[in-house]
Amino acid sequence: MKKLSVIIPVYNVEKYLCQCVDSVLRELPENSEILLVDDGSTDSSGKICDNYKAKDERIRVFHQKNSGVSSARNKGIELSEGEKIFFLDSDDYLAENALEQLLQYDSELIIGNYCAFYPDKTASICGEADTVRYDSIADYFKDFSKYFPTIFNFPWGRVYSAEIIKKANLKFREDISMGEDLLFNLEYYDRISNVQVVSDIIVNYRQSKGSLTKKYNPKLFEWYLKCYSETEAILRKYNSFSTEIKDYFYNRFFGNVYECIYQITSGKGKQKDGLLYEIICDERTKKAAEIYKGQSMKMRIIAYIIRLKSAGIMKIYMKIYLGLARIKKCDLVDSIRRI
C-alpha cells in the first residue's frame, strides 16, 4: 500500500494546473501517488494531466464526464491506494515542506493552516491555528469558534485516514453545490478520536473577492440550513454547544441569512418574494435575529425587520440601502476620475 494519495479534482484550470501539480511533486513522499481526476474539462487541462502522467509514474490520471467537484473527489477516493488521503484543489498550490510538516504527526486527522491570496496580489493567513493535539473530538469542538468557518470546513490541506473513510463509505454529497465539504468533515469527525492541528501554512488558497455578488441561487438558504442543522447536531452530541459557541454559531448564521436576502433583493422577479418570506419566517433565522449582537446598524435593522416577519418592509429597506450604496459607489468613482 502506498503512503499517501493526493487527490486533485481538475476542471478548466489550464492557467493554474502546472503550478498546483509541480508544488505537489516537489513535496510528495516516497511510495506516494497523485490522482488527477479530470472532470470533463473543455480547455487543455485534460491534456496537461496526460502529459504529467507520461512524465512521472507517480501520477495517475482519470477522465470523466463533467459531474462536479464532489464526484471527482469521490472518484479519487475510490481509486486511491494510499494509507492517507490529502485533497488539493487544482487552482491552489502547496507551500514549501507542506506535506513533511503534516506527516510528521500521527493522528486520525491532521489539519494544516492556509493562506488566501487574491487577484490584486494581497494575501492573508486565514486560520487561527496553533500547533495543538486534541485527544478527543469533544475537546476539538470546544474550539469551534476558533476554527469555523476556516479549517473546520475545508477538505483540502489536511491528512485523512483512508481506512476510516473507506470503512464508513464516506462520500462528498453530489446533490448540493455548497457545504458538501463541511458535511463530509462532520461525518469524518464523528468517526475519529483525535485531531492534530498544525500552525504551518500548508496550502496557498486562490480566492476571489466580492462573494455577495455571486449568481443568485434559490437553493442557497436550503443548503445553509442543512449545514448549520447538522453542525449544531454534532456539537450537541459531544456536549460542545456552550452559550459562547451558540452565540457565535447563530451570529455566523445570521451573516449567511443576509447573504441570501442580499441575493434575492438585489435581483428582479416576483417569484423570489415567497422565498424571502420563507427565509424571514424560518425558526432558525428568527433565533439568529434574536441572538445577533453585531455592531452594524444595517444588520441590526435587518434583525429588527426579521422579528417583524415582514418581507415587504425588508424589500423596501434593501432597495433603499442598495440604491444608496450604488450612489456612494458612483460618487467615489467620479471623485477618483476628477483626481
Side-chain angles (χ1 to χ4, degrees):
M1 179 175 279
K2 296 185 183 301
K3 182 176 183 179
L4 179 70
S5 295
V6 178
I7 298 173
I8 305 176
V10 176
Y11 180 71
N12 289 355
V13 283
E14 59 184 6
K15 185 176 179 181
Y16 309 118
L17 184 54
C18 290
Q19 183 182 33
C20 173
V21 178
D22 288 342
S23 74
V24 180
L25 288 172
R26 184 183 66 232
E27 306 290 328
L28 197 65
E30 292 183 7
N31 191 30
S32 297
E33 63 179 359
I34 300 173
L35 290 85
L36 300 176
V37 185
D38 173 31
D39 187 43
S41 296
T42 57
D43 65 1
S44 63
S45 296
K47 184 176 180 180
I48 293 172
C49 291
D50 291 335
N51 289 340
Y52 270 105
K53 177 182 177 180
K55 296 177 182 177
D56 198 311
E57 62 182 9
R58 296 174 295 175
I59 295 178
R60 302 165 63 198
V61 174
F62 306 94
H63 299 280
Q64 66 177 31
K65 181 181 179 181
N66 180 240
S67 305
V69 64
S70 291
S71 173
R73 286 176 179 151
N74 289 336
K75 176 64 72 174
I77 292 172
E78 176 189 345
L79 299 172
S80 63
E81 298 177 357
E83 295 180 5
K84 304 286 186 179
I85 290 176
F86 181 93
F87 296 103
L88 183 65
D89 287 352
S90 52
D91 55 348
D92 302 332
Y93 63 96
L94 293 183
E96 290 188 13
N97 301 317
L99 297 179
E100 180 182 351
Q101 292 297 327
L102 294 181
L103 293 172
Q104 66 178 303
Y105 299 99
D106 181 20
S107 181
E108 293 172 316
L109 180 63
I110 310 163
I111 307 174
N113 207 351
Y114 71 101
C115 178
F117 63 101
Y118 298 88
D120 62 5
K121 298 184 179 181
T122 59
S124 61
I125 297 174
C126 293
E128 297 183 32
D130 299 317
T131 297
V132 57
R133 178 183 169 90
Y134 297 93
D135 287 317
S136 75
I137 199 66
D139 286 342
Y140 172 66
F141 285 159
K142 288 176 183 178
D143 281 340
F144 172 81
S145 56
K146 182 177 181 180
Y147 299 135
F148 186 87
T150 54
I151 63 174
F152 188 91
N153 296 25
F154 300 132
W156 40 258
R158 56 179 63 199
V159 175
Y160 297 87
S161 163
E163 180 181 4
I164 292 173
I165 289 176
K166 293 182 178 182
K167 184 176 181 180
N169 195 29
L170 299 186
K171 295 182 182 299
F172 289 89
R173 290 276 300 272
E174 297 183 23
D175 59 331
I176 62 176
S177 300
M178 193 284 301
E180 71 281 1
D181 298 357
L182 170 61
L183 296 176
F184 180 87
N185 281 336
L186 292 179
E187 290 193 79
Y188 189 84
Y189 289 145
D190 199 27
R191 289 168 170 82
I192 60 175
S193 57
N194 56 76
V195 177
Q196 176 70 52
V197 176
V198 179
S199 63
D200 299 89
I201 300 300
I202 301 302
V203 173
N204 291 297
Y205 172 52
R206 196 178 307 275
Q207 183 63 283
S208 59
K209 293 183 177 180
S211 61
L212 287 182
T213 62
K214 61 188 177 185
K215 186 178 179 181
Y216 166 71
N217 190 318
K219 290 186 174 292
L220 185 62
F221 183 69
E222 176 187 332
W223 293 340
Y224 276 133
L225 279 181
K226 175 73 172 174
C227 290
Y228 278 90
S229 295
E230 294 202 14
T231 301
E232 181 176 345
I234 197 169
L235 289 172
R236 288 187 180 279
K237 177 178 179 179
Y238 288 90
N239 297 315
S240 300
F241 204 57
S242 63
T243 299
E244 179 184 351
I245 288 178
K246 179 181 178 180
D247 287 348
Y248 172 84
F249 180 87
Y250 275 101
N251 274 271
R252 291 293 318 187
F253 178 68
F254 190 69
N256 293 130
V257 168
Y258 171 69
E259 180 181 353
C260 296
I261 291 172
Y262 175 93
Q263 284 198 355
I264 292 171
T265 56
S266 61
K268 297 180 180 180
K270 293 183 179 180
Q271 70 275 11
K272 299 178 184 179
D273 291 354
L275 180 56
L276 180 61
Y277 184 77
E278 177 185 331
I279 292 171
I280 290 174
C281 292
D282 180 81
E283 287 300 318
R284 191 177 291 277
T285 298
K286 290 190 289 184
K287 187 180 292 187
E290 292 168 359
I291 290 176
Y292 178 70
K293 294 181 174 64
Q295 299 300 313
S296 167
M297 178 61 72
K298 172 190 70 178
M299 298 296 274
R300 291 206 300 269
I301 291 173
I302 289 174
Y304 176 73
I305 296 173
I306 289 172
R307 291 194 290 270
L308 293 177
K309 301 181 183 179
S310 177
I313 294 176
M314 184 68 76
K315 285 181 67 178
I316 292 171
Y317 172 72
M318 289 300 295
K319 183 176 181 179
I320 293 171
Y321 172 77
L322 294 171
L324 291 174
R326 281 192 291 269
I327 291 172
K328 184 177 181 180
K329 182 178 180 180
C330 290
D331 288 344
L332 177 61
V333 171
D334 289 341
S335 299
I336 292 172
R337 287 173 177 171
R338 288 195 294 269
I339 294 175

